Amino acid sequence: MGEKKVKFVPVFDLVNEAKKKLDKFKYKILVMSGKGGVGKSFISSMLALGLAMRGKNVSIFDADIHGSSIPLFLGIQGSRHYANEAGEILPVEGPLNVKVVAINLMLDSPDTPVVWRGPLVGRAILELAAKVAWYEADYLIVDMPPGTGDVAITVSQVFPSITGAILVTSPNTLTETIVAKAANFMASTGIRLLGVIENMSYFKCPHCGMVTNIMGEMSSDYFFAKYGVNLLGKIPIDPSINEALNKGKPYLLFNRESEAARAILEIVDKVINLVENTNNK
Ligand code: ADP
């Protein structure tokens, strides 16, 4: 048997390939958070669905390699990526035609942990960006890992003309430091911060309608005045989000009339307005 030849692709080529392919999207939006568990992946997937509900052509890239959960929120956990004849990875078709690229859809089982150090994760993002057969579309939503580590640096350097970033927080984590860090990261990379989404903002009792700020309250006016950061909206705590997740149903499609769903759709409309009416590719 002949010796198997391994073809090494110079990083430079990969970067150029990734840039060329990602230029197919009119708008590229990064969804970020200062820390894990604030609902960033839930919101990324619902923003993608919400944009699709508004008639947009959408792809979503799950760049949260260690915490990949977009397939779960979109109810396509059982799907797998295939390759075309040219060896490119084909995105998986999710609900409302949303195209999904996620490492979880390449593993033998979603329970398999991805045990990679930071630089390898950055390289995997680059490889995926370059090797996926991305389709021409209006929006690419990128679900970033929490914080500003290797992936954030790779994405900010490799992805061409990023439209902007959205920061997801919950009231208790919306400390000055987290907003300041995000604002500073954006400033250092030249990426526009479209605004902040306050998730798990409050709980409204389904019986008496009383509103409780379980996680505390924040003053959006203060953050706007100090850092110029817009509040895109507040999403309440809704137990049916996890119910939908457990049943493998995309929340926004099955609870369209809930307060959280309405808040998400209002945010979607604001985002469309912000990015499409400012001539910012
Ligand atoms: P992150 O990506 O920030 O780590 P996830 O999106 O994975 O967070 O969400 C963490 C958990 O919180 C999930 O179980 C998700 O279903 C739940 N969750 C997110 N937002 C809400 C909300 N507004 N109300 C109730 N549960 C929520």
Side-chain angles (χ1 to χ4, degrees):
M1 222 163 61
E3 210 176 293
K4 206 174 168 190
K5 286 217 173 92
V6 180
K7 191 177 163 230
F8 290 101
V9 182
V11 172
F12 184 66
D13 286 359
L14 270 183
V15 171
N16 284 339
E17 211 176 326
K19 280 190 195 294
K20 214 166 96 194
K21 283 199 169 165
L22 293 169
D23 234 1
K24 288 182 176 171
F25 296 98
K26 270 195 217 149
Y27 309 107
K28 291 171 276 284
I29 297 179
L30 314 183
V31 182
M32 309 185 68
S33 68
K35 62 176 229 112
V38 296
K40 170 188 55 61
S41 300
F42 165 69
I43 287 179
S44 301
S45 34
M46 293 308 116
L47 284 179
L49 265 188
L51 285 164
M53 285 165 89
R54 295 294 193 241
K56 309 291 176 188
N57 218 316
V58 189
S59 288
I60 183 163
F61 184 13
D62 190 349
D64 191 355
I65 298 275
H66 289 120
S68 174
S69 52
I70 297 297
L72 263 176
F73 286 113
L74 291 179
I76 53 161
Q77 185 75 330
S79 306
R80 285 291 170 271
H81 280 296
Y82 291 98
N84 63 16
E85 282 173 1
E88 293 172 310
I89 301 158
L90 294 170
V92 169
E93 189 129 336
L96 301 186
N97 258 336
V98 172
K99 308 280 190 302
V100 184
V101 173
I103 198 93
N104 245 14
L105 302 179
M106 294 172 198
L107 305 173
D108 291 341
S109 142
D111 305 339
T112 312
V114 177
V115 192
W116 293 341
R117 289 188 193 273
L120 205 54
V121 175
R123 169 79 189 203
I125 295 293
L126 180 57
E127 294 254 2
L128 278 175
K131 299 294 173 200
V132 166
W134 299 103
Y135 301 103
E136 198 104 2
D138 302 317
Y139 282 86
L140 175 68
I141 300 290
V142 186
D143 185 42
M144 302 285 283
T148 48
D150 291 271
V151 171
I153 296 165
T154 303
V155 169
S156 63
Q157 288 173 347
V158 170
F159 283 40
S161 52
I162 294 168
T163 313
I166 291 173
L167 182 67
V168 180
T169 62
S170 58
N172 60 333
T173 61
L174 196 104
T175 61
E176 237 188 288
T177 356
I178 284 175
V179 174
K181 266 188 194 167
N184 288 335
F185 178 75
M186 299 303 153
S188 70
T189 53
I191 299 172
R192 175 182 176 203
L193 186 53
L194 296 170
V196 171
I197 296 176
E198 189 187 294
N199 189 31
M200 308 186 192
S201 188
Y202 58 91
F203 179 72
K204 193 180 211 174
C205 173
H207 308 291
C208 68
M210 194 175 110
V211 169
T212 315
N213 294 102
I214 293 179
M215 308 264 206
E217 265 182 283
M218 62 163 268
S219 157
S220 50
D221 295 345
Y222 169 77
F223 284 105
F224 184 74
K226 188 151 184 194
Y227 301 105
V229 182
N230 274 318
L231 181 72
L232 291 170
K234 297 186 177 199
I235 301 170
I237 295 175
D238 180 352
S240 71
I241 290 173
N242 283 309
E243 255 173 59
L245 186 69
N246 292 339
K247 289 183 183 153
K249 293 182 170 180
Y251 174 77
L252 208 51
L253 296 184
F254 291 89
N255 297 272
R256 247 175 237 225
E257 296 309 319
S258 68
E259 192 156 325
R262 274 185 275 126
I264 293 166
L265 286 171
E266 266 174 39
I267 292 171
V268 166
D269 291 334
K270 270 193 197 168
V271 171
I272 293 175
N273 199 28
L274 261 176
V275 305
E276 296 191 14
N277 296 335
T278 49
N279 219 2
N280 185 355
K281 198 187 164 200

